[in-house]
Amino acid sequence: MADLTCNMGGITAPNPFWLASAPPTDKAYNVERAFDAGWGGVVWKTLGEDPPVVNVSSRYGAIGYNGQRMAGFNNIELISDRPLETNLKEIIEVKKRWPDRAMIVSLMVPCEEKNWRDILTQVTDTGADGIELNLGCPHGMSERGMGAAVGQVPDYVKMVTEWCKQYYDKPVLVKLTPNITNILHPARAATGGGADGVSLINTINSIIAVNLDEMAPEPIVDGKGTHGGYCGPAVKPIAMNMVAEIARDSECQNIPISAIGGISNWRDAAEFIALGARSVQVCTAAMHYGFKIVEDMTDGLSYWMDEKGYKSLDDFSGRAIANVTDWKYLNLNYDVKARINHDLCIGCGLCHIACEDGSHQAITAGRKDGKRFYEVIDDECVGCNLCMHVCPVDHCITMEPMPTDKAPMNWTQDPRNPMNQAK
Amino acid sequence: MKSIQANRLAADQYQDHFGDLEPPLDDRRAALEASRCYFCFDAPCVEACPTGIDIPSFIRKIQTSNRQGSAMDILSANIFGGACARVCPTEILCEEACVRNLQEEKPVEIGLLQRYATEESFEGPHPFTRAAPTNKTIAVVGGGPAGLTCAHGLARHGHEVTVFEAKDKLGGLNEYGIAAYKMADDFAAKEVSFVLAIGGITVRTGMALGHDITLDDLRAQFDAVFLSVGLGDTRPLDIAASNINNIEPAVHFIERLRQSDDLSSLPIGDRVVVIGGGNTAIDASVQSKRLGAREVTLVYRRGASSMSATGHEQHIAQTNGVTIRHWLTPKDTTYDDKGVTGVTFEYTKQDADGMLTGTGETHHIDADMVLLATGQTMIPPAQIKTNKGKIVVDEGQATSLPGVWAGGDCTALGQDLTVQAVQEGKIAAQSIHTALSA
């Protein structure tokens, strides 16, 4: 079996599957059961200063898709609402009992040097392996000048990171908020502040649903709601783009990334690792199905690695980064056309209507020997892939590269580019 | 052991045995099943539906919780969408055409979804409105699905309709002739009330054509006449003397069962033999079994593939413990002073030309009750052109007699399906409206 051990910015773990800072990691009882189930590490639910925060009742909202529950999920919970001393005591005990697992403590205090120094002193005594700065919580805490209110200002990100590096000896991870125009700005600030790694994405500002009977956003708290933090499978593409942006940015200097965002299975994890992640953090899937899902994550990933001949995570980590590029460098002479396998076709006609109404009118609808027959008009097909995506039958529609004698040419080289004509 | 006996079951078993054969979908199951529909372009299921219901559209509206819109998609194409959801042989219509069959051999459960979509429509106000009065009058003879669909369509156009029904209740076979577990909770009557709620339809029950009314009088009194009289008596079995007790047409047995207020009072044999190969034979044999008969044998003179009951119907019979015997034709009955004691059958085979012949070998089946489901015949009005005993109509359902249209089982030469009757009533309404508006 493949070696799944990971090293994320100096924090090691037997596997890259960590539970993100959230309710599943808010107390010793949960964390020990998670470790027992096989999770490689946890980021303990964010600690703040006493007195602890107070939470509302009615905290989560969800959207399903075609009968599937929780394609997207949001919450309006705050950081840990337990006394600081209780959390610190439990962290010490759990770390002692599970020395090989990664124990990271998430932190959020007011944006003053003294406040950070004080809590770092206490965390140092727990024996935890590192800290994660919660600079991303988008609701509640941000109204009090913490969480995303700090994470959205790169100068503050750098400043807080520097304080932490100054007062804490072990690895410092900075958790980034996606609620910002360009993720590179806070990522570069964290790098500049000396962070050992970044974790992303935190949740996205969201109103997940409007209850049309109560005319209020969900989750509803006594008739009113507020924006929450969006997560779950639906956010994964957004998270992957942000991870890739950082991974291929020279100013971020290959800063280790712990990826978060809709990771529900080994394949999701493999995709993030291919984009440069060193560990992945999971929350919604564990809240949906429980800790047991880690079994599929670990054995699924290692079977796949065996099949591909990857002996360790380093063998494929970041392998896809070089193939993520800007649009302007894509080959304009590359041409694919849709091919319909008529033996597999079940005659639903979705390829036709999708192309007809939604794309380039390149698939005809007719009958042949009394059966529905859909055919591609090569001259009209631009190779957009839409028909392949809507086709409900696996491998029925494929996109086939057309032979060409033209050399690859991108937009920077294309004579049709006005910038080139100006030269 | 008494042969014919009522009250064979415990009291609570009657509701179990004659309630819904398939329970309706709840919201969750409906959403999941609806999500299996691909929303096909040029959907094969629509083409396979005799009434042309826009099936992908109504299923999509289930997905979006637009249940009223979903029901209207169905009811505007088929006002008997509730009954059809329950009794249509979907396995040879929409569900057979579903593209999912080619992928995973499991179609979307269109029938169950149609029931889900329409379920609440029968509670609220009637969803259709009538056009301005035209002062035209139409007589509809026969208050089954064809007649009431035609009446509803004409009433919508603003015409005044009178429905003449020979029996005490409207609904036709939905009320009298289909197994109780397919139309549980008095659904046929509820649906009739729903259809009549459009207004403009006068109902006269106990009025049989040829007895209480004549076609000539109707033609004289009304601007148009629509005949939807269904079928008449079961073909008699020429091997049995007509006075033997406990041999009767299966439709009589089913009607008695459907009209009973107390199923425990219905006598049923210990060993029942049902002769025939259609849905009536299936409905009679399964209901015999469900009333507590110990042995029920359905006997058909050809093989399984020739039965007009679908494979699904045959499966229902078999899973209900009915023994199906093929290639046997009745030759003789045995009886004593109390009634029938058995039927002697001759084995049959098909010769090279497809003709059925007896082999000379016989097989006797003991029975204390024999139900005949050997097909029904009708005696059409003499003035009208017929073919093989059924009324001939054109593509607009007009008969050879001016001013007279016809539809339903009294016309079709194919399978006598409810959904086909509805379509014929619908076409006739449009055709009559066009003729009266000229």
Side-chain angles (χ1 to χ4, degrees), chain A residues 142-305:
Chain A
S142 52
E143 295 170 16
R144 305 175 197 178
M146 292 181 272
V150 178
Q152 286 164 338
V153 183
D155 289 347
Y156 294 169
V157 172
K158 183 160 184 278
M159 179 175 74
V160 174
T161 307
E162 284 170 346
W163 291 336
C164 292
K165 284 304 290 179
Q166 187 179 345
Y167 299 114
Y168 185 69
D169 293 340
K170 289 182 177 170
V172 174
L173 312 183
V174 179
K175 187 166 179 176
L176 304 179
T177 175
N179 299 308
I180 189 162
T181 312
N182 186 343
I183 195 69
L184 292 177
H185 296 161
R188 288 168 181 165
T191 308
D196 298 281
V198 289
S199 309
L200 73 155
I201 58 174
N202 206 316
T203 55
I204 303 169
N205 282 343
S206 61
I207 287 179
I208 200 149
V210 174
N211 184 306
L212 292 175
D213 295 319
E214 298 200 33
M215 281 294 167
E218 292 184 344
I220 299 171
V221 180
D222 191 23
K224 293 202 179 340
T226 186
H227 77 262
Y230 191 43
C231 57
V235 310
K236 183 185 143 201
I238 297 167
M240 288 209 292
N241 177 55
M242 290 185 169
V243 165
E245 288 288 292
I246 295 170
R248 68 192 189 94
D249 180 61
S250 60
E251 284 187 51
C252 287
Q253 301 167 30
N254 295 321
I255 189 165
I257 299 169
S258 183
I260 312 167
I263 296 159
S264 310
N265 55 53
W266 66 268
R267 180 175 285 277
D268 295 334
E271 291 181 43
F272 274 104
I273 294 168
L275 288 172
R278 309 290 179 91
S279 78
V280 296
Q281 296 184 31
V282 175
C283 174
T284 309
M287 289 180 71
H288 194 164
Y289 299 111
F291 295 140
K292 190 177 163 63
I293 57 169
V294 75
E295 291 171 19
D296 157 69
M297 293 177 157
T298 50
D299 67 32
L301 183 64
S302 72
Y303 284 130
W304 172 78
M305 286 171 63

Side-chain angles (χ1 to χ4, degrees), chain A residues 66-69 345-350 352-353 365 367 372 374 392-393, chain B residues 28 31-32 35 38-45 47 63 99-100 102-103:
Chain A
N66 271 359
Q68 293 285 317
R69 303 282 199 207
C345 176
I346 59 172
C348 72
L350 289 178
H352 161 76
I353 200 63
R367 303 267 172 129
R372 287 158 176 78
Y374 299 96
V393 182
Chain B
R28 179 75 191 148
L32 279 172
S35 74
Y38 287 140
F39 199 66
C40 292
F41 169 80
D42 185 19
C45 54
E47 200 170 70
Q63 289 173 17
V99 301
R100 285 260 185 188
L102 294 170
Q103 197 176 19

Side-chain angles (χ1 to χ4, degrees), chain B residues 102-142:
Chain B
L102 294 170
Q103 197 176 19
E104 57 202 22
E105 294 177 0
K106 189 180 181 308
V108 174
E109 300 215 63
I110 299 168
L112 281 171
L113 287 171
Q114 180 165 320
R115 176 165 176 186
Y116 173 84
T118 52
E119 203 78 322
E120 288 174 351
S121 307
F122 309 104
E123 315 288 334
H126 190 80
F128 298 98
T129 52
R130 297 184 67 197
T134 61
N135 299 319
K136 300 283 186 187
T137 61
I138 299 99
V140 168
V141 187

Side-chain angles (χ1 to χ4, degrees), chain A residues 405-419:
Chain A
D405 47 13
K406 294 180 191 164
M409 176 190 65
N410 66 44
W411 184 238
T412 66
Q413 303 157 331
D414 193 320
R416 291 167 293 189
N417 180 343
M419 297 301 283

Side-chain angles (χ1 to χ4, degrees), chain A residues 304-334:
Chain A
W304 172 78
M305 286 171 63
D306 289 348
E307 197 183 304
K308 293 285 181 186
Y310 299 131
K311 293 191 165 42
S312 69
L313 298 181
D314 285 342
D315 283 358
F316 78 101
S317 176
R319 278 232 182 176
I321 299 172
N323 292 327
V324 180
T325 186
D326 293 344
W327 190 95
K328 62 177 179 274
Y329 299 123
L330 299 175
N331 179 9
L332 291 164
N333 283 336
Y334 180 73

